[in-house]
């Protein structure tokens, strides 16, 4: 009996995989059917997860069976959630604005704080510490290698930032362009940016290739199960 | 001792008496009670209405003398004094603002303005009916004494000098439209000089007709006129009766014989006025006549300030030329045509008279037709119902000043060009409630004429009239229309003239609009855009940039070797064949790399450093589409953890993360025998994104309460002893998204303490997450299939990495070949295109 569900799920997965591969022939109804099915199933699954893993255990159940303190505290998210639901009703959409404002404000504050404390400051310090030869010696890295690597990092960072500097001057002949120094640095930054995009593309390709291999393995495994 | 006549009984009295010795009436004008009112009427002030009926009896004798100036007892009275122009003050009195304010003697004028015969007062109606009477009849009232004549019916002239028409230029007034005072004046000048009847208005024609009927001696004619009781009001009849005997005989011969025109009659007013005008023309010069004339001045005139003396006769000029109204001067001109010597002298004086004509009078012919009669009621009320205006009542007694000052200024005369003024114009002129000469005079003109008063105007322009010099109180009472320009907005603020209210007629007093303040002419702004050259060049540059942006760039379509669809099929076929063949064959041709990235080795070191059975948090934050890659990458890491017996806690910020975690454990780690709730616990979905991550990092038990199975999460064995994020032995994040991985790094960096953070990421997220490893924020990282394969090699436990490695390697090699081939093909295509272009250019 346990084989049957795996067989059915495997068959569905096999069919859906072929439908997705049909996109090689272009946009077709089979591909669209697979996409719509994926979206629908995902939405249903997410709704189920939201109810069973969020609303019920975190809100409804405490309101019904929790202590009075919990109930009082949970009225705030309950009210905000109800106000947020009014966004789906245009005449009442303004009522949900406070809830949205709360979400946006808290989210923005957290994101900014995390970016400043978790990315900017540490990354700036790391760029500076790249020239720390003592640390490099501690890691058994030659100073030349460390300086070379740090220099590449510094040049790449500065040149990339200079590339996005669009200030220009008016030169003779009514041509407006950046100075030659800035143009030269920006050209280097442009190279670094191109390399970065190439790396990203390689990563995407590698991820997609891995997914293709996994799907082909699944197909072959499924077909081999018979 | 001078003798004054009682204003009531008309009998002579010594001038030192206050009361008449005959009737005990006050010999002094009642204005004496207003002597204390030293304030003159300022320009723009509207005189207060007062009932001045009682003043009728006390009106000055000069008014009576105006009609009998040539009959006064004083023989020395000169004609120039008698010819002192009355119109200024007389008309100024006649400025009513409303019909109800009109004095009785103006009623007839107002009535005529509205062409309503019924409103003509009886006395005036009777007078009009008597207009065609003979000259003898019309001359009669002139000789009558002033006794019993209502003062209000007498014209109150600007000067005390009675006016006598001098020349043939008469005011062409329509019949019956003359006010009483004017009729009286005209009556005094009954012996008007003859004028060609065809050129004169009817009124003048009639007056000439009457004058023709007059005998050389006008006294009988005047007596006869007075005898026409039907045509005169009672007061006029009485006045005629009293003045007739008292008329000085010396003046009678001085009156020129009326040169009558056949078929023409002189109106009664002209018949009555002409005799008074004749003597001055013939005899005395003005200086000699000034003193006698001032004896006739009323007290209020005598007390007028010198600067406001409106019509003092100019001593340096002939009296008749300066003092006589121009219309009288014109009459004198007509008389000059007569062969008699006096007429010749009058003709000589006619020219100065014309020169003295004010401009307002010259424009009268043009303005009058345009001024409707109904505009007249807009003028401020200047006279009471009784005909005596308030200003007259309030005038201080300045008679002495008048007497002390020689007559210097000529009184403007009403001169009309007979050739240019038609009868309609005359109608329009006299249809107004106030005299036109007053209506058309502006302060500027007054000032101009003041300077020109002594200089005769050029005679070649008969239409040009000499402006008069009016006292301020007269100027203030001028009609607004004559002062206010047509377009005040075009003038300066100093010339803005109030149109209504108590300040009507004054300029520079009120702002243009209430609350607006003085207005100026709107500053002219050029509609042309004012831009500099640099701005123009910048605008042109911007326009050029925008135009280049809006223009679609032609896409450089390199020559295609194969159609896109076919090329896509070919590439897909090659990839399927390369990857599929290796997958289906299950080959292990490609060896794993002997060297592994340091970040992968760091992960191994970290896991190896973990204590046994330590709680480890696994975060499954990847989507199902990347499950194959993440499972291959994370399987050796999780396997390593399970090999070490770590207690695993699974959490996901993706709704599908919990299910993928279960799938991962089931498909890849089934051989470890981990049971949910025992060796591992799945906390499920952590909502809130960054907020949820931060909340969990701050206080994990508060962020999640139950497991995916509904069990109390923090009571499960895997979470024993864990109350914070730092209590976990390690945090391993499995994510395919750079944002998700960065969120976990950023939000948990402050709460991990010494807890290592390991990342298992997709190959596409590795370039972004790798700097965090370089900075030390991430202790180890496994990225993609290559990282998983490397970790498997480190562990010595091959798994999915090794299974996929051949296909993966072939796929990468195929991609490299395709990229290289594509690059070469593009270079060849570009080279060929360039060669073709050069060939075409050559």
């Amino acid at each position: 009996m346990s084989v049957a569900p795996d067989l059915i799920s495997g068959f569905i997965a096999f069919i859906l995989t072929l439908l997705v591969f049909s996109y090689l022939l272009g946009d077709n109804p089979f591909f669209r059917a697979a996409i719509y099915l994926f979206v629908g199933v995902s939405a249903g699954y997410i709704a189920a997860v939201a109810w069973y893993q969020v609303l019920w255990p975190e809100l409804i159940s405490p309101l019904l069976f929790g202590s009075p303190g919990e109930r009082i505290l949970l009225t705030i998210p309950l009210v905000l959630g109800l106000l947020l639901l009014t966004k789906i009703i245009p005449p009442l959409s303004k009522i949900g604005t406070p809830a949205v404002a709360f979400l946006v404000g808290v989210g923005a504050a957290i994101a900014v704080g995390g970016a400043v404390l978790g990315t900017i400051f540490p990354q700036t310090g790391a760029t500076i510490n790249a020239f720390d030869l003592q640390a490099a010696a501690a890691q058994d890295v030659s100073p030349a290698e460390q300086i070379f690597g740090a220099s590449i990092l510094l040049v790449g960072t500065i040149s990339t930032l200079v590339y996005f500097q669009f200030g220009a001057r008016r030169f003779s002949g009514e041509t407006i362009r950046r100075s030659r120094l800035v143009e030269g640095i920006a050209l280097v930054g442009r190279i670094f940016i191109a390399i970065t995009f190439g790396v990203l593309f390689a990563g995407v390709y590698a991820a997609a290739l891995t997914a293709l291999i996994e799907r082909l393995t699944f197909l072959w495994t499924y077909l081999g199960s018979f | 001792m001078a003798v004054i006549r009682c204003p009531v009984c008309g009998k002579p009295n010594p001038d030192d008496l206050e009361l008449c010795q005959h009737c005990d009436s006050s010999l002094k004008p009642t204005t004496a009670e207003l002597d204390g009112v030293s304030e003159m009427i300022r320009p723009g002030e509207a005189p207060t209405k007062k009932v001045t009926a009682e003043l009728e009896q006390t009106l000055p004798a000069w008014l009576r003398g105006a009609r009998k100036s040539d009959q006064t007892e004083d023989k020395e009275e000169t004609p120039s004094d008698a010819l002192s122009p009355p119109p200024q003050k007389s008309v100024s009195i006649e400025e009513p603002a409303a019909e109800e304010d009109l004095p009785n003697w103006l009623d007839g004028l107002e009535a005529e303005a509205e062409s309503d015969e019924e409103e003509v007062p009886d006395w005036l109606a009777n007078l009009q009916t008597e207009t065609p009477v003979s000259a003898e009849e019309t001359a009669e009232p002139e000789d009558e004494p002033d006794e019993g004549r209502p003062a209000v019916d007498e014209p109150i002239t600007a000067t005390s000098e009675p006016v006598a028409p001098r020349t043939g230029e008469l005011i062409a007034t329509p019949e019956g439209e003359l006010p009483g005072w004017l009729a009286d004046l005209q009556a005094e000048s009954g012996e008007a000089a003859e004028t060609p009847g065809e050129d004169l208005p009817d009124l003048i024609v009639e007056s000439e007709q009457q004058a023709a009927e007059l005998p050389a001696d006008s006294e009988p004619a005047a007596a006869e006129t007075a005898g026409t009781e039907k045509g005169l009001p009672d007061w006029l009849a009485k006045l005629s009766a009293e003045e007739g005997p008292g008329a000085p005989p010396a003046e009678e011969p001085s009156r020129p014989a009326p040169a009558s025109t056949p078929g023409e009659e002189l109106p009664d007013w002209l018949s009555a006025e002409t005799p008074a005008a004749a003597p001055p023309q013939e005899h005395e010069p003005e200086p000699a006549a000034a003193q006698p004339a001032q004896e006739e001045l009323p007290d209020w005139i005598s007390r007028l300030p010198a600067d406001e003396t409106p019509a003092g006769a100019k001593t340096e000029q002939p009296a008749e030329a300066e003092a006589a109204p121009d219309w009288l001067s014109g009459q004198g001109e007509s008389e000059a045509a007569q062969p008699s010597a006096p007429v010749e002298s009058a003709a000589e004086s006619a020219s100065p008279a014309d020169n003295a004509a004010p401009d307002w009078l010259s424009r009268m012919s043009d303005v009058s037709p345009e001024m409707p009669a109904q505009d007249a009621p807009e003028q401020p009320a200047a006279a009471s119902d009784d005909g005596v205006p308030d200003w007259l009542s309030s005038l201080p007694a300045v008679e002495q000043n008048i007497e002390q000052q020689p007559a210097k200024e000529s009184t403007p005369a009403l001169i009309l060009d007979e050739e240019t003024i038609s009868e309609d114009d005359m109608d329009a002129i006299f249809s107004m409630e106030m005299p036109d000469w007053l209506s058309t005079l502006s302060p500027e003109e007054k000032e101009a004429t003041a300077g020109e008063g002594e200089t005769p105007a050029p005679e070649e322009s008969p239409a040009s009239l000499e402006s008069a010099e009016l006292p301020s109180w007269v100027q203030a009472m001028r009609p607004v229309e004559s002062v206010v320009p047509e377009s005040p907005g075009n003038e300066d603020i100093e010339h803005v003239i109030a149109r209504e209210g108590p300040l009507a007629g004054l300029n520079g007093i009120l702002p243009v609009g209430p609350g607006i303040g003085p207005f100026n002419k709107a500053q002219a702004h050029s509609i042309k855009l004012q831009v500099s050259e640099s701005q123009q060049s910048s605008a042109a540059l911007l326009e050029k940039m925008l135009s280049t942006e809006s223009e679609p760039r032609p896409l450089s379509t390199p020559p295609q070797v194969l159609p896109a669809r076919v090329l896509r099929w070919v590439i897909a076929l090659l990839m399927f064949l390369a990857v599929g063949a290796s997958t289906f064959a299950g080959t292990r041709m490609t060896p794993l790399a002997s060297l592994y990235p340091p970040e992968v080795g760091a992960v191994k070191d970290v896991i190896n450093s973990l204590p046994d059975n330590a709680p480890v948090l696994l975060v499954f934050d990847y989507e199902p589409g990347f499950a194959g890659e993440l499972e291959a990458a994370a399987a050796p890491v999780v396997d390593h953890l399970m090999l070490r017996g770590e207690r695993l806690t699974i959490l996901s910020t993706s709704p599908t993360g919990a299910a993928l975690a279960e799938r991962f454990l089931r498909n890849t780690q089934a051989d470890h025998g981990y049971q949910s709730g025992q060796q591992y616990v799945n906390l499920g979905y952590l909502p809130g994104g960054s907020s949820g991550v931060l909340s969990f990092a701050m206080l994990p038990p508060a962020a999640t309460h139950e497991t995916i199975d509904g069990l109390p999460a923090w009571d499960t064995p895997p979470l024993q002893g864990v109350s914070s994020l730092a209590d976990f032995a390690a945090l391993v994040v499995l994510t395919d998204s750079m944002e998700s991985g960065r969120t976990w790094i950023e939000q948990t960096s402050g709460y991990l303490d010494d807890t290592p953070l390991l990342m298992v990421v997709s190959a596409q997220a590795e370039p972004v997450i790798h700097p965090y490893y370089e900075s030390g924020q991430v202790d180890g990282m496994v990225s993609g299939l290559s990282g998983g394969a490397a970790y498997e090699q480190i562990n010595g436990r091959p798994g999915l990495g090794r299974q996929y490695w051949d296909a993966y390697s072939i796929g990468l090699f195929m991609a490299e070949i395709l990229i290289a081939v594509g690059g070469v093909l593009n270079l060849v295509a570009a080279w060929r295109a360039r060669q073709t272009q050069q060939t075409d250019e050559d």
Side-chain angles (χ1 to χ4, degrees):
Chain A
M1 295 299 293
S2 62
V3 178
D6 293 339
L7 182 62
I8 295 172
S9 61
F11 177 77
I12 295 173
F14 178 80
I15 297 300
L16 292 176
T17 302
L18 294 179
L19 294 179
V20 173
F21 280 152
S22 68
Y23 188 73
L24 291 173
L25 303 176
D27 193 5
N28 58 84
F30 299 104
F31 175 76
R32 289 175 177 270
I35 295 300
Y36 297 157
L37 184 62
F38 173 75
V39 172
V41 170
S42 299
Y45 180 76
I46 292 172
V49 168
W51 175 257
Y52 285 105
Q53 296 187 18
V54 179
L55 294 178
W56 177 258
E58 303 293 338
L59 182 63
I60 305 301
S61 178
L63 283 174
L64 296 177
F65 309 106
S67 61
E70 290 179 341
R71 294 179 182 180
I72 293 174
L73 291 177
L74 289 176
T75 53
I76 297 175
L78 176 63
V79 172
L80 291 178
L82 294 176
L83 293 178
L84 196 60
L85 287 177
T86 59
K87 281 292 181 183
I88 61 176
I89 305 173
L92 303 177
S93 61
K94 291 185 177 179
I95 301 177
T97 302
V100 174
F102 177 78
L103 292 177
V104 173
V106 172
I110 293 174
V112 171
V116 171
L117 298 177
T119 298
I120 295 178
F121 288 169
Q123 291 300 314
T124 304
T127 304
I128 296 172
N129 293 332
F131 292 92
D132 189 358
L133 299 180
Q134 293 180 355
Q139 296 178 359
D140 198 13
V141 178
S142 64
E145 182 183 358
Q146 183 69 21
I147 292 176
F148 177 78
S151 300
I152 295 297
L153 179 63
L154 180 63
V155 170
T157 303
I158 294 175
S159 60
T160 303
L161 294 175
V162 169
Y163 175 79
F164 291 101
Q165 203 277 333
F166 296 108
R169 291 181 178 179
R170 181 190 301 276
F171 292 91
S172 61
E174 295 184 356
T175 59
I176 297 178
R177 58 180 175 81
R178 296 182 292 188
S179 63
R180 295 185 181 278
L181 177 61
V182 175
E183 287 287 349
I185 298 174
L187 179 61
V188 176
R190 190 175 182 179
I191 294 173
F192 275 92
I193 292 172
I195 293 173
T196 303
F197 284 134
V199 171
L200 291 174
F201 176 75
V204 173
Y205 177 77
L209 180 62
T210 305
L212 175 62
I213 294 171
E214 190 272 335
R215 280 296 90 189
L216 290 178
T217 302
F218 167 75
L219 292 176
W220 184 253
T221 304
Y222 183 78
L223 291 175
S225 63
F226 290 101
Chain B
M1 176 178 293
V3 177
I4 59 175
R5 286 183 174 274
C6 175
V8 177
C9 62
K11 296 180 179 179
N13 293 279
D15 57 350
D16 54 351
L17 294 180
E18 292 291 336
L19 299 176
C20 178
Q21 57 187 357
H22 302 287
C23 61
D24 292 336
S25 299
S26 177
L27 295 176
K28 301 295 182 182
T30 55
T31 55
E33 65 185 12
L34 301 174
D35 288 347
V37 184
S38 58
E39 281 292 327
M40 301 295 291
I41 298 177
R42 302 298 180 187
E45 291 181 0
T48 305
K49 294 180 180 180
K50 292 183 178 179
V51 178
T52 56
E54 68 276 7
L55 300 178
E56 293 178 9
Q57 303 300 326
T58 60
L59 270 183
W62 62 269
L63 293 177
R64 295 185 296 274
R67 289 181 291 275
K68 60 182 186 58
S69 59
D70 54 344
Q71 302 173 3
T72 54
E73 299 173 359
D74 192 355
K75 299 293 184 180
E76 293 85 11
E77 179 178 4
T78 59
S80 61
D81 294 335
L83 288 174
S84 297
Q88 283 192 357
K89 288 194 174 181
S90 63
V91 176
S92 64
I93 301 172
E94 300 167 6
E95 292 184 45
E99 293 182 7
E100 58 271 18
D101 296 332
L102 288 174
N104 294 336
W105 52 273
L106 276 180
D107 290 343
L109 180 61
E110 176 64 18
E112 287 300 326
E114 299 179 359
S115 302
D116 189 0
E117 293 294 334
E118 296 179 358
E119 297 181 1
V120 176
D122 297 335
W123 63 271
L124 185 57
N126 296 333
L127 184 63
Q128 292 171 354
T129 55
E130 293 299 331
T131 302
V133 301
S134 61
E136 293 81 4
E137 295 175 350
T138 57
E140 181 60 24
E142 179 64 23
D143 297 332
E144 292 180 1
D146 293 337
E147 297 177 359
R149 184 175 184 176
V152 294
D153 292 338
E154 296 180 7
I156 302 174
T157 58
T159 60
S160 61
E161 296 84 2
V163 178
R166 296 298 307 272
T167 57
E169 290 189 11
L170 302 176
I171 299 175
T173 305
E175 181 180 359
E177 294 184 358
L178 292 177
W181 63 271
L182 188 58
D184 294 338
L185 288 177
Q186 292 170 346
E188 292 179 1
S189 60
E191 298 180 3
E194 69 172 319
T195 308
E198 57 276 13
D199 295 335
L200 292 176
D202 296 339
L203 181 65
I204 299 177
V205 171
E206 293 175 357
S207 65
E208 291 180 351
Q209 290 176 354
Q210 294 175 357
E213 297 175 3
L214 289 173
D217 187 0
S218 60
E219 284 297 327
E224 293 178 5
T225 304
T228 60
E229 296 297 331
K230 297 169 61 178
L232 294 176
D234 297 339
W235 62 269
L236 189 59
K238 294 177 180 178
L239 182 66
S240 300
E242 291 180 0
E243 288 185 350
E251 294 180 358
E252 296 176 0
S254 65
R255 297 176 181 175
S260 62
T261 302
E264 296 178 354
E265 290 183 352
L266 202 60
D268 51 353
W269 59 271
L270 189 59
S271 302
E273 191 69 20
T274 303
Q281 296 176 0
E282 299 175 358
H283 300 292
E284 293 85 359
E286 182 177 354
Q291 183 62 32
Q294 291 183 357
E295 294 178 355
E296 296 281 337
L297 288 176
D299 296 338
W300 64 274
I301 288 296
S302 301
R303 287 192 293 268
L304 280 176
D307 54 347
E308 294 185 359
T309 302
K314 294 182 179 180
T315 56
E316 61 272 20
Q317 290 187 1
E320 60 273 16
E322 296 178 354
D326 292 338
W327 59 276
L328 295 178
S329 301
Q331 187 178 9
E333 289 181 357
S334 63
E335 293 176 357
Q338 297 178 0
S340 62
V343 173
E344 292 178 358
S345 62
E348 294 175 357
S349 62
S351 177
D354 291 339
N355 297 336
D359 296 335
W360 56 268
L361 194 55
S362 61
R363 292 198 306 270
M364 185 170 62
S365 59
D366 298 332
V367 176
S368 299
E370 300 175 358
M371 301 175 66
Q374 53 268 27
D375 293 339
E378 298 179 2
Q379 307 308 320
S384 62
D385 295 339
D386 298 333
V388 179
D390 296 330
W391 60 266
L392 184 59
S393 303
S394 60
L395 279 177
V398 290
E399 295 175 355
Q400 299 302 326
N401 296 334
I402 296 296
E403 294 175 0
Q404 294 175 1
Q405 291 182 356
K408 295 180 180 180
E409 299 173 353
S410 61
T411 302
L414 187 61
I415 299 175
L416 297 179
D417 189 2
E418 299 177 358
E419 298 177 358
T420 57
I421 299 176
S422 62
E423 185 175 357
D424 295 336
D425 297 336
M426 294 300 177
D427 295 340
I429 292 170
F430 286 93
S431 63
M432 298 183 61
E433 292 184 357
M434 59 175 45
D436 295 296
W437 63 269
L438 193 57
S439 303
T440 57
L441 187 62
S442 63
E444 292 77 7
E445 294 173 351
K446 181 245 180 186
E447 296 176 1
T449 53
E452 297 173 356
E454 298 179 359
T455 303
E459 193 169 358
E460 58 271 15
S461 60
S464 63
L465 302 176
E466 185 175 351
S467 60
E469 296 182 6
L470 300 175
S472 59
W473 56 271
V474 175
Q475 295 179 13
M477 302 173 69
R478 289 174 302 163
V480 179
E481 288 77 6
S482 62
V483 180
V484 177
E486 293 296 332
S487 59
N490 296 331
E491 298 181 359
D492 297 335
I493 185 60
E494 292 79 7
H495 300 290
V496 175
I497 301 171
R499 291 181 174 273
E500 58 186 4
L503 299 179
L506 300 180
N507 57 354
I509 301 299
L510 292 177
V512 177
I516 299 177
F519 76 98
N520 296 323
K521 182 179 181 181
Q523 184 178 2
H525 295 283
S526 175
I527 60 175
K528 183 180 179 181
L529 183 62
Q530 302 293 336
V531 292
S532 61
E533 293 183 357
S534 60
Q535 292 174 337
Q536 288 180 349
S537 61
S538 300
L541 180 61
L542 178 61
E543 184 179 1
K544 182 181 178 181
M545 293 173 62
L546 296 177
S547 62
T548 55
E549 290 294 332
S550 60
E551 292 178 356
R553 290 184 177 179
L555 295 175
S556 59
T557 56
Q560 296 180 352
V561 179
L562 293 173
R565 184 181 296 271
V566 175
L567 182 62
R568 186 169 57 188
W569 289 346
V570 170
I571 293 174
L573 182 59
L574 292 175
M575 291 299 298
F576 271 101
L577 290 177
V579 175
S582 174
T583 302
F584 298 156
T587 61
R588 301 288 191 271
M589 298 182 299
T590 306
L592 295 173
S594 58
L595 297 176
Y596 48 87
E599 62 269 18
V600 176
V603 172
K604 188 197 76 163
D605 296 340
V606 168
I607 293 175
N608 288 333
S609 65
L610 295 178
D612 295 337
N613 199 22
V616 175
L617 179 62
L618 291 178
V619 178
F620 284 78
D621 273 357
Y622 58 87
E623 299 298 326
F626 293 89
E629 182 188 18
L630 265 300
E631 288 177 356
V637 176
V638 175
D639 179 65
H640 191 193
L641 291 173
M642 288 184 175
L643 288 175
R644 295 185 61 85
E646 309 296 352
R647 293 175 293 166
L648 304 180
T649 301
I650 298 173
L651 185 67
S652 175
T653 58
S654 172
T656 58
L660 292 175
E662 294 294 332
R663 178 182 181 271
F664 172 80
L665 295 177
R666 185 176 63 249
N667 292 339
T668 61
Q669 309 298 332
D671 54 348
H672 290 288
Y674 269 57
Q675 298 296 322
S676 176
Q678 297 300 323
Q679 290 80 23
Y680 81 96
V681 59
N682 191 346
L683 298 179
Y685 172 60
L686 178 65
S690 300
S691 302
V693 173
L694 180 61
S695 174
F696 186 86
M698 295 173 63
L699 189 59
T704 56
H705 301 86
E706 297 180 354
T707 65
I708 193 174
D709 299 327
L711 301 176
W714 302 98
D715 295 338
T716 58
L719 289 177
Q720 290 298 322
V722 176
S723 60
S724 64
L725 187 61
D727 292 338
F728 287 103
L731 173 60
V732 181
V733 178
L734 288 72
T735 179
D736 64 334
S737 170
M738 55 189 75
E739 289 80 11
S740 177
R742 190 168 58 190
T743 298
W744 276 102
I745 295 171
E746 292 176 348
Q747 301 300 330
T748 60
S749 60
Y751 302 95
L752 287 175
D753 294 339
D754 295 334
T755 301
L757 175 60
L758 305 177
M759 301 292 292
V760 179
V761 298
S762 171
Q764 66 180 6
E766 192 269 342
V768 178
I769 303 300
H770 195 275
Y772 292 98
Y773 169 74
E774 295 292 342
S775 65
Q777 294 176 273
V778 175
D779 297 295
M781 186 175 67
V782 175
S783 61
L785 181 62
S786 61
Y791 201 91
E792 288 176 358
Q793 189 175 5
I794 293 174
N795 277 344
R797 293 171 59 88
L800 291 177
R802 185 68 189 95
Q803 181 182 354
Y804 298 159
W805 186 249
D806 280 6
Y808 182 77
S809 299
I810 294 173
L812 291 178
F813 180 72
M814 184 60 68
E816 294 171 357
I817 292 175
L818 291 176
I819 291 173
V821 172
V824 171
L825 290 178
N826 284 330
L827 288 176
V828 171
W831 179 78
R832 293 181 61 182
R834 190 172 302 172
Q835 291 295 326
T836 304
Q837 184 178 3
Q838 291 179 355
T839 304
D840 295 339
E841 293 177 356
D842 295 338

